[in-house]
Amino acid sequence: MTYPLLSVKNLTKYYKKEGSLFSPPEDEVLALDDVNFDMYEGETLSIVGESGCGKTTLAKLITRLIEPTRGFIFFQGKDLISLNPGEMRKIRRKLQIIFQDPYASLPPRMKVGEIVGEGLEIHGLFKGGKKMELVKRVLGEVGLNAGDMNRYPQEFSGGQRQRINIARALILHPRLVVADEPVSALDVSVKGQIIKLMQDLKENYRFNYIFISHDLTTVEEFSHRVIIMYLGRIVELASTRKLFEKPMHIYTRALISAVPHRKALRNKEKFILEGEVPDPRNPPSGCHFHPRCSFSQDICQKERPFLKDMGNNHLVACHLY
Amino acid sequence: MEKPLLEVKDLAVNFKREEGFFKAVEGISFKIWPREVVGLVGESGSGKTAASLSLLNLTSSRGKVGGEVFFDGVNILTLPERKLKKFRGRQIGVIFQEPMTFLNPVLTIGVQIMEPMVEHWKISWGQARERALYLLSEMGIKDSERRMKEYPHQLSGGIRQRVMISMALACSPRLLIADEPTTALDVTLQYQIIELLRRIREKTPMAILLVSHDLEVVRELCDRVMIMYGGRIVETGGIREIFKDPLHPYTRSLVEVSPSFERVAWRLPGEDAPFSYQSNIPAGCRFQHRCSRVSRECKGAEPSLKEIGGKGWIGNSFSFHRQVRCWKYQEGALEKDEKPL
Amino acid sequence: MILGKRVQKNKIFIFSLVIITGLFLMALFAPHLVSHDPLKTETENWLTPPGPDNWFGTDRLGRDIYSRVVFGSRISLSIGFISAAIMIFTGTLLGALAGYYGGIVDNLIMRLTDIIIVFPVLFLIITLISLFDSGFIHIILIIGFTGWPVVARLVRAEFMSLRERDFVQAIRALGASDLRIITRHILPNALDPIVVAATLSVPAAILAEAGLSFLGLGIPAPVPTWGNILREAHGYFRQAWWYAAFPGAFIFVTVMAFNLLGESLKDLLDS
């Protein structure tokens, strides 16, 4: 029996501003509410949802850039939350993150060579010439030139910067890369190139990745499983094929309907959502989705639906099932 | 025969920078007919926003606008600011991508919707209020009475965009410029706003220039589309033709990512080059570095925007040509290379 | 480089830099620039107006004011620079810790800065000086250690915003230690405002010294400092305008030059 590469249990995060001497604590803002899932070696997992669904919080929690309010994260069997700062720093080598904004995520005053090589230095792996050699190789693999080492990030376009980000993450040979909307800020014609690059590198470097996106169409081609999130909770989790063939949650169906000109859905009924995502400071009772759901019943306002297995590991959190 | 509502001739926008002039838009010409919905598509840095804002001379103080823009026969670029103000809002409405930066944070949205009506139409605040309420409810805002009294920061992104649209439509303009109206919104909201624009399009006689990076959004709403790259128009045509048979390799790269594209994809090997300053502009075709079908002539001189085939018709009065700026189509010999690679 | 071009265009920057360089050279070569001993009294020549022998006139003890002002620049400028250095160092260190770690560290440091800012500095200084004595070193320490809170607040704000930036988070994700993050990634990006603050701290310290000396709490007589000369001139304003005018003008020009330098530097770095 294989045990999961990553296992997330009851993960919950509330953001709150701590009160100080003179100001009382502010309202808690719900970011992530009791999230559970496992991820196995070799799979590409996508997490999809709109703004406020908690996907970026989840990315930062998994890489422990922020601390959870409750819950556990097991990575390669180790409980990440219980690690002390020194142990955590060591494990970061195996656990990398790629940020959405290719402009904000690179230090402005360092040369590309230094940026990409920094990880090696931090972990005391290679220095000097050997380091530069490795940097050159990785840059080549992400489609940049060795000559780019001595240039500054400002000289590169968004897509090229995202390549630098990928190189920086991969030079440490991580096991898991969390990519937080890596292509959302890029132009349409560049998106595909970056996704393809990540796919190719996955073969060579044998890493696994979690791909976070607000756009369901982007993830369809390459992910094995998809998690749909809404306002801090997982509402549906299924293999990509099943999710697109037979979406169960109304929210998932609405997301698929919002994709223009989808052949598969052209003749099926369309779900157009009314309203907007509610305020996370004051989430709706029961099912978070009920104010926007056309099938809402009494129970939806009262009780939170939990994920139910509808067979073949297709999980959905909805009182209709 | 009907006259075009907007005629743009050789429009150029230059921005003054420390490093010299940066040509955001270079010599673009097009026409928009009454009631027509035209898409202007390009990626970041293509000059599409600069081009659309310069139509009302709204570019920043560092920008210099050249060329001619005729609105209903009047060259609005030569008008003094005082007369230009009469065009803005009244004849031409604008929707911006990020409403928050264009709404005044200290005024209620009611005042902001009513103000242009009072100013342009010289009607009373009471009359303006009635129309504002009507507009808001038309935009699908339910408790419009209450919303009128709220300030921009109290509204969610979707509502803000609806308010912005009501403001643009307040004086029943004859042309609406919509600059990336859905880009900043979530997927499900994007869909709501597209539906709203579609309804407006059917109900009002105004023409719309929809500026977007997203060909799919343009496809939902437009009859005709112009594709920009590197400050130039590289292809124009009816939206169906563009999707069915994209001619320019750049258009093709945009169309290929569409889920509905059924042909074999070419692959664009190049990267989005950050070329923007004059010194970086290559001799020859601007797209050569990213083009998979580049040949020697592409590096020599820049191809001109060439008309292909006959005229196309929209409705029964507007005519347009299919145009493309690519060496492959320069000699008029329309050999189509449809063999899968 | 672009900055070089902008510097050339910015006339105020050049102007203030020239004045400051001039003042520096004056302090450095003071003994070569004067013909009189700034300490030598010639009581028969007291309060002579400016003339060919005594350019700035003489004081109540017949000392040459020009020589005293030129020598005074040594004390005033060195107090200005050393105190500013202490302010910047302490302020940057504490501001960085508060901004980077937040929470309790931040709370403690910020309360300390609040206390120093609200505390009437004059009383503190009077107390300290009556406890020790008002030597050069003490003045510098007192000015330095009461002036850092402004810098600390600025650095803290800068660190707080930089800490949340994606590129800093990315370095954390690589496993970098706090020391490395602070020194290699945050500090270099916070340098611009710190440089500006440093430039603006110098005139503040010079004014503080002049103020203390004027009140008789500064460097003890007969050592000439600009503040000391002003203090002595007190009471002679009507009879001898030159007595206060020249040291006053030097304080004014120095403070103005540093302020202009700071402001134009801010413009240069911002654009």
Side-chain angles (χ1 to χ4, degrees):
Chain A
M1 148 123 200
T2 50
Y3 70 91
L5 172 72
L6 178 80
S7 180
V8 167
K9 299 239 179 292
N10 305 102
L11 201 60
T12 301
K13 175 76 182 173
Y14 283 90
Y15 286 107
K16 59 182 164 194
K17 216 175 164 187
E18 277 170 46
S20 66
L21 194 55
F22 299 110
S23 56
E26 281 179 21
D27 286 349
E28 291 185 330
V29 180
L30 173 79
L32 212 59
D33 187 9
D34 197 13
V35 164
N36 296 282
F37 66 89
D38 290 337
M39 179 189 180
Y40 293 89
E41 285 274 355
E43 82 170 334
T44 301
L45 180 67
S46 287
I47 300 175
V48 176
E50 292 178 288
S51 56
C53 76
K55 54 192 193 296
T56 294
T57 303
L58 186 57
K60 288 190 171 170
L61 282 171
I62 293 172
T63 48
R64 212 178 157 208
L65 291 172
I66 52 175
E67 302 293 320
T69 310
R70 273 195 299 283
F72 303 94
I73 302 159
F74 296 95
F75 174 66
Q76 295 184 315
K78 276 194 193 106
D79 177 5
L80 283 192
I81 308 300
S82 69
L83 295 181
N84 67 34
E87 292 168 328
M88 189 63 214
R89 276 211 295 276
K90 269 188 213 129
I91 234 169
R92 288 193 186 281
R93 221 185 116 179
K94 299 279 162 213
L95 186 61
Q96 282 296 308
I97 183 166
I98 294 169
F99 289 95
Q100 171 178 5
D101 185 344
Y103 293 90
S105 50
L106 293 174
R109 298 181 186 214
M110 283 170 74
K111 287 180 182 164
V112 170
E114 295 174 85
I115 295 170
V116 174
E118 186 156 26
L120 297 176
E121 223 173 88
I122 287 169
H123 292 279
L125 298 173
F126 296 101
K127 275 185 182 164
K130 181 82 179 144
K131 181 183 99 177
M132 284 305 157
E133 209 172 282
L134 270 171
V135 171
K136 251 181 227 167
R137 201 164 80 205
V138 175
L139 283 179
E141 277 166 340
V142 300
L144 296 168
N145 302 323
D148 292 335
M149 286 207 327
N150 294 319
R151 293 165 70 195
Y152 288 92
Q154 296 90 286
E155 299 170 52
F156 295 87
S157 67
Q160 290 169 322
R161 279 162 169 252
Q162 217 52 309
R163 289 172 194 264
I164 299 171
N165 270 320
I166 293 171
R168 171 169 68 181
L170 290 190
I171 200 163
L172 291 170
H173 285 268
R175 296 300 309 151
L176 176 63
V177 175
V178 181
D180 183 12
E181 304 224 35
V183 299
S184 303
L186 303 179
D187 281 328
V188 187
S189 59
V190 182
K191 273 184 187 168
Q193 299 174 13
I194 298 294
I195 288 173
K196 176 145 192 319
L197 175 71
M198 289 185 67
Q199 285 296 100
D200 292 348
L201 291 170
K202 186 183 182 238
E203 305 297 315
N204 297 344
Y205 277 80
R206 314 222 132 270
F207 65 91
N208 306 281
Y209 67 96
I210 295 182
F211 191 96
I212 294 176
S213 174
H214 67 274
D215 181 7
L216 204 49
T217 32
T218 331
V219 306
E220 185 180 358
E221 267 181 52
F222 58 84
S223 29
H224 298 105
R225 285 195 300 158
V226 180
I227 290 177
I228 308 284
M229 290 186 69
Y230 186 80
L231 202 61
R233 293 177 182 167
I234 295 180
V235 296
E236 190 158 359
L237 193 170
S239 68
T240 312
R241 198 171 50 84
K242 291 232 183 60
L243 192 88
F244 279 89
E245 251 169 34
K246 198 184 165 218
M248 289 189 169
H249 202 281
I250 306 299
Y251 180 62
T252 314
R253 293 200 218 172
L255 282 180
I256 294 178
S257 301
V259 177
H261 295 277
R262 241 196 94 78
K263 271 172 279 136
L265 259 130
R266 232 174 249 167
N267 301 322
K268 292 188 190 166
E269 57 184 321
K270 282 216 168 197
F271 287 81
I272 301 167
L273 289 186
E274 295 284 321
E276 293 181 44
V277 181
D279 187 351
R281 271 171 299 191
N282 188 16
S285 60
C287 172
H288 282 170
F289 187 64
H290 83 257
R292 295 177 78 188
C293 182
S294 41
F295 297 87
S296 171
Q297 306 155 338
D298 280 352
I299 187 173
C300 303
Q301 297 177 29
K302 287 176 198 142
E303 270 179 51
R304 167 183 182 172
F306 285 95
L307 282 173
K308 261 175 273 181
D309 194 339
M310 305 302 293
N312 296 320
N313 293 320
H314 190 146
L315 306 179
V316 60
C318 178
H319 289 303
L320 289 176
Y321 302 99
Chain B
M1 199 179 135
E2 208 166 355
K3 280 189 190 150
L5 179 67
L6 183 83
E7 187 168 2
V8 175
K9 283 185 183 165
D10 219 16
L11 182 76
V13 184
N14 292 314
F15 288 99
K16 207 179 166 185
R17 292 250 173 104
E18 208 78 45
E19 301 83 350
F21 275 101
F22 154 49
K23 292 183 179 174
V25 179
E26 262 189 280
I28 66 172
S29 305
F30 60 91
K31 289 174 190 166
I32 296 178
W33 304 83
R35 294 187 297 287
E36 200 188 8
V37 183
V38 182
L40 181 62
V41 174
E43 297 178 343
S44 48
S46 63
K48 60 184 190 305
T49 295
S52 57
L53 294 184
S54 65
L55 298 180
L56 276 173
N57 225 343
L58 279 177
T59 50
S60 70
S61 53
R62 284 170 171 235
K64 279 187 90 173
V65 182
E68 291 166 311
V69 176
F70 292 99
F71 183 83
D72 214 9
V74 182
N75 185 352
I76 51 181
L77 290 185
T78 57
L79 288 180
E81 186 69 17
R82 182 173 47 84
K83 287 199 175 154
L84 199 59
K85 280 210 168 92
K86 288 198 176 151
F87 273 89
R88 291 186 194 140
R90 187 171 182 175
Q91 302 283 358
I92 306 180
V94 189
I95 309 173
F96 297 101
Q97 174 177 0
E98 185 30 80
M100 204 51 194
T101 45
F102 291 94
L103 290 171
N104 186 335
V106 299
L107 293 178
T108 61
I109 61 150
V111 170
Q112 297 189 56
I113 299 173
M114 292 185 285
E115 209 171 22
M117 288 190 265
V118 173
E119 192 175 309
H120 288 306
W121 283 346
K122 313 282 181 233
I123 57 173
S124 73
W125 285 91
Q127 289 169 303
R129 195 181 132 77
E130 240 165 65
R131 179 162 166 80
L133 285 173
Y134 166 76
L135 279 169
L136 286 176
S137 58
E138 277 291 293
M139 296 305 130
I141 293 177
K142 282 179 192 116
D143 34 5
S144 46
E145 287 270 356
R146 184 169 61 88
R147 293 291 189 198
M148 292 270 285
K149 294 188 194 110
E150 289 188 329
Y151 292 90
H153 71 267
Q154 289 170 292
L155 309 174
S156 59
I159 303 278
R160 250 183 242 143
Q161 197 54 279
R162 285 164 202 261
V163 168
M164 189 85 207
I165 297 173
S166 337
M167 281 170 67
L169 299 183
C171 293
S172 309
R174 292 162 70 197
L175 172 68
L176 178 71
I177 299 175
D179 183 12
E180 303 260 13
T182 64
T183 308
L185 301 172
D186 275 331
V187 191
T188 52
L189 290 180
Q190 271 186 15
Y191 200 68
Q192 294 175 6
I193 297 294
I194 290 174
E195 285 300 314
L196 179 65
L197 288 171
R198 203 202 304 277
R199 238 182 39 235
I200 293 168
R201 183 204 151 143
E202 279 154 17
K203 280 180 103 169
T204 65
M206 81 188 160
I208 301 178
L209 175 65
L210 179 70
V211 182
S212 178
H213 72 280
D214 189 348
L215 208 50
E216 293 291 337
V217 172
V218 169
R219 183 191 206 176
E220 292 281 309
L221 294 166
C222 297
D223 313 317
R224 194 155 69 81
V225 64
M226 306 181 283
I227 314 278
M228 277 188 82
Y229 185 85
R232 296 270 200 202
I233 290 180
V234 296
E235 184 164 358
T236 69
I239 189 77
R240 282 208 203 97
E241 294 175 289
I242 293 270
F243 266 92
K244 206 173 133 229
D245 186 19
L247 298 178
H248 197 283
Y250 177 62
T251 314
R252 189 157 178 133
S253 77
L254 294 179
V255 171
E256 272 176 2
V257 296
S258 163
S260 64
F261 190 72
E262 287 163 24
R263 302 221 182 135
V264 176
W266 300 354
R267 242 169 229 156
L268 283 177
E271 171 66 47
D272 49 334
F275 91 101
S276 49
Y277 302 115
Q278 227 165 338
S279 55
N280 286 350
I281 295 178
C285 177
R286 307 250 157 128
F287 192 62
Q288 54 179 285
H289 300 309
R290 294 177 63 187
C291 190
S292 53
R293 323 223 130 177
V294 65
S295 62
R296 199 153 45 86
E297 56 197 344
C298 303
K299 295 182 175 165
E302 194 181 2
S304 62
L305 195 60
K306 177 97 179 164
E307 284 174 12
I308 300 280
K311 280 184 177 180
W313 292 84
I314 285 179
N316 45 20
S317 55
F318 324 124
S319 66
F320 62 91
H321 294 282
R322 185 94 198 265
Q323 296 168 305
V324 62
R325 187 190 288 280
C326 178
W327 278 116
K328 237 180 105 199
Y329 304 97
Q330 284 296 302
E331 308 315 327
L334 236 168
E335 21 136 348
K336 281 194 195 157
D337 157 86
E338 295 299 348
K339 282 161 273 166
L341 293 173
Chain C
M1 227 186 107
I2 301 167
L3 196 65
K5 254 190 207 162
R6 288 209 198 104
V7 167
Q8 278 173 17
K9 274 190 209 157
N10 198 320
K11 292 191 180 97
I12 296 176
F13 181 79
I14 304 282
F15 172 72
S16 48
L17 206 60
V18 167
I19 293 182
I20 289 167
T21 316
L23 287 165
F24 247 110
L25 294 174
M26 184 176 87
L28 201 62
F29 297 109
H32 306 283
L33 295 173
V34 300
S35 47
H36 297 69
D37 179 351
L39 298 177
K40 191 177 155 219
T41 57
E42 293 174 42
T43 13
E44 64 277 21
N45 274 340
W46 70 300
L47 294 184
T48 35
D53 193 35
N54 303 106
W55 294 348
F56 291 179
T58 60
D59 68 1
R60 57 183 175 159
L61 298 174
R63 292 174 295 198
D64 178 40
I65 294 181
Y66 168 69
S67 314
R68 287 181 67 74
V69 166
V70 169
F71 269 92
S73 69
R74 291 187 146 190
I75 306 277
S76 293
L77 287 181
S78 43
I79 286 182
F81 272 93
I82 301 172
S83 313
I86 293 175
M87 286 182 209
I88 295 299
F89 178 78
T90 320
T92 305
L93 182 70
L94 293 177
L97 291 176
Y100 185 76
Y101 287 104
I104 184 131
V105 182
D106 181 35
N107 249 316
L108 282 175
I109 294 175
M110 280 303 110
R111 291 306 77 80
L112 182 65
T113 60
D114 288 348
I115 288 169
I116 293 181
I117 284 176
V118 299
F119 202 85
V121 177
L122 206 57
F123 288 122
L124 180 72
I125 290 171
I126 293 170
T127 319
L128 287 174
I129 284 171
S130 59
L131 281 178
F132 307 100
D133 57 37
S134 57
F136 181 71
I137 302 290
H138 289 146
I139 296 291
I140 284 176
L141 290 178
I142 286 168
I143 295 174
F145 283 110
T146 51
W148 61 263
V150 185
V151 183
R153 283 189 169 177
L154 185 122
V155 173
R156 168 180 177 262
E158 205 63 29
F159 265 64
M160 279 173 87
S161 82
L162 283 168
R163 182 186 63 177
E164 299 302 325
R165 295 270 292 276
D166 277 357
F167 74 88
V168 174
Q169 295 293 321
I171 298 299
R172 270 188 72 201
L174 279 180
S177 63
D178 289 348
L179 184 69
R180 188 186 183 96
I181 296 173
I182 291 176
T183 55
R184 261 178 73 90
H185 291 276
I186 303 188
L187 197 58
N189 287 293
L191 223 48
D192 290 358
I194 295 177
V195 167
V196 173
T199 321
L200 294 175
S201 299
V202 176
I206 289 175
L207 275 182
E209 182 274 328
L212 287 179
S213 299
F214 186 75
L215 292 171
L217 301 170
I219 311 285
V223 179
T225 76
W226 293 341
N228 271 349
I229 308 174
L230 272 184
R231 173 182 154 77
E232 292 155 13
H234 179 65
Y236 297 91
F237 290 154
R238 290 194 186 186
Q239 300 127 277
W241 59 268
W242 59 89
Y243 202 164
F246 288 105
F250 269 80
I251 293 175
F252 175 76
V253 168
T254 311
V255 169
M256 190 192 65
F258 274 104
N259 277 323
L260 288 179
L261 185 75
E263 291 298 327
S264 53
L265 205 55
K266 203 185 204 164
D267 289 348
L268 283 174
L269 294 172
D270 277 355
S271 55

